[in-house]
Amino acid sequence: MRLRHWVLLIPVVTSTVCQMRGDSAANFQSLTPARRAAIESDVRRFVLAVAHDVTQEGPLAWRTHFSDNPSFFMAVNGQLAFPNGQAAAQAIPEIARQFKHIELRWGDDLL
């Protein structure tokens, strides 16, 4: 079950970091060490907030972290699960009914 949650969060993290930083894919190819450190810090802060919220509030908390950006999508085990944020938001209530408790924890090797 832990792997499934990690896979669910990958598009959220990617979409959110890109949106937070306002960078295009081309800008990520030439990161300075300081810029890389800032992005890593943002990602760590974000995933820790998601883990806290989902652990405390359950799967419904995921919705507050999904991007409404048109580029958002979610893949599970290599398959497209949700093509956009609206589809994910519609599915979350059913997903939440399937889990009584979720605890997300990240290791030091997150990045």
Side-chain angles (χ1 to χ4, degrees):
M1 193 62 70
R2 187 175 290 150
L3 176 61
R4 180 176 174 182
H5 297 144
W6 169 245
V7 173
L8 287 173
L9 281 173
I10 289 173
V12 176
V13 170
T14 303
S15 179
T16 300
V17 170
C18 290
Q19 191 173 7
M20 287 170 27
R21 291 299 193 174
D23 288 332
S24 67
N27 290 339
F28 280 105
Q29 294 176 359
S30 60
L31 291 176
T32 65
R35 184 99 169 106
R36 176 184 160 100
I39 291 171
E40 286 181 6
S41 176
D42 285 348
V43 170
R44 286 182 189 281
R45 189 173 25 258
F46 173 73
V47 296
L48 289 173
V50 171
H52 173 268
D53 293 351
V54 171
T55 299
Q56 295 298 309
E57 303 167 28
L60 292 175
W62 267 315
R63 181 61 192 126
T64 62
H65 296 285
F66 286 168
S67 173
D68 291 328
N69 185 308
S71 65
F72 176 87
F73 68 94
M74 182 182 294
V76 176
N77 295 328
Q79 301 294 316
L80 183 64
F82 305 116
N84 55 50
Q86 181 181 5
Q90 290 172 345
I92 288 174
E94 179 58 33
I95 293 169
R97 283 191 281 278
Q98 295 176 18
F99 297 94
K100 292 183 185 226
H101 178 75
I102 292 178
E103 184 174 340
L104 295 179
R105 287 183 277 168
W106 305 105
D108 290 336
D109 61 348
L110 178 61
L111 294 173

